[in-house]
Amino acid sequence: MGGGRASINGDLIDRGVNDLARGTVGLDTDGNVKTYTVEPGDALYAIGDRFCIANALTIATLNHTRTIQPGEVLLLAPDSSIPWVEYFNPRSAEGGYQQIPYQLAVEAMSAAAWAGDVEKMRAIFTNELRGLYPDPAEADVIAQALDAGDLDVLRQMFA
């Protein structure tokens, strides 16, 4: 956990709406690009181009998804002080780790976080995700965030 394998560096510049990136941009209190809400017909590469992101697949990885859906809020500028949960497999996973059950649990945590359902997140973590971590210390970071119940932190951890 921590910096993760997906990151976007520097200030993002919104070059404006294009045919395949018509979504709404969310700004932080300083006016910097923070989020992007997907519109029907949007495509990752066009979104990446809109914000000068060289590898648009980073947006999907950062947001724990393989596809984007209309209405989905994508985090583009995460707070680096908040741990990020790996999407493909835990950092402590060794070669041959079965990542699909892990990814499905992470995606379920993400959906519950955006729905504002901390209780569902706790259930998914307890029943599915916790046991998929080879190193319990990694799971403890998530457990602490769930204990605190801070949706802003949980949403970023599971973008």
Side-chain angles (χ1 to χ4, degrees):
M1 305 236 191
R5 291 185 203 143
S7 63
I8 296 174
N9 298 316
D11 293 331
L12 297 175
I13 308 223
D14 184 359
R15 299 188 330 165
V17 173
N18 65 54
D19 288 343
L20 299 174
R22 294 174 290 148
T24 305
V25 177
L27 305 175
D28 66 14
T29 55
D30 295 324
N32 298 312
V33 173
K34 182 79 174 169
T35 62
Y36 177 85
T37 303
V38 178
E39 286 290 323
D42 282 358
L44 273 175
Y45 285 99
I47 295 168
D49 185 56
R50 178 173 172 175
F51 296 101
C52 302
I53 299 170
N55 181 359
L57 292 179
T58 300
I59 299 169
T61 301
L62 182 65
N63 286 276
H64 301 95
T65 189
R66 287 169 268 186
T67 60
I68 57 172
Q69 305 296 324
E72 184 175 1
V73 178
L74 301 173
L75 181 64
L76 297 180
D79 178 342
S80 62
S81 70
I82 297 174
W84 179 76
V85 174
E86 297 288 339
Y87 178 53
F88 294 104
N89 53 265
R91 283 189 183 263
S92 58
E94 294 184 12
Y97 181 83
Q98 296 298 309
Q99 71 183 34
I100 298 300
Y102 173 83
Q103 281 181 317
L104 292 173
V106 168
E107 289 172 1
M109 291 286 282
S110 178
W114 284 107
D117 194 340
V118 176
E119 288 308 312
K120 184 171 185 177
M121 292 183 77
R122 288 180 177 133
I124 294 165
F125 178 71
T126 300
N127 298 323
E128 299 173 43
L129 189 58
R130 181 185 274 279
L132 297 173
Y133 279 92
D135 180 357
E138 286 181 283
D140 288 346
V141 173
I142 298 169
Q144 290 169 5
L146 287 168
D147 287 346
D150 185 334
L151 272 170
D152 289 333
V153 168
L154 291 166
R155 283 181 177 136
Q156 182 171 311
M157 287 176 81
F158 292 96

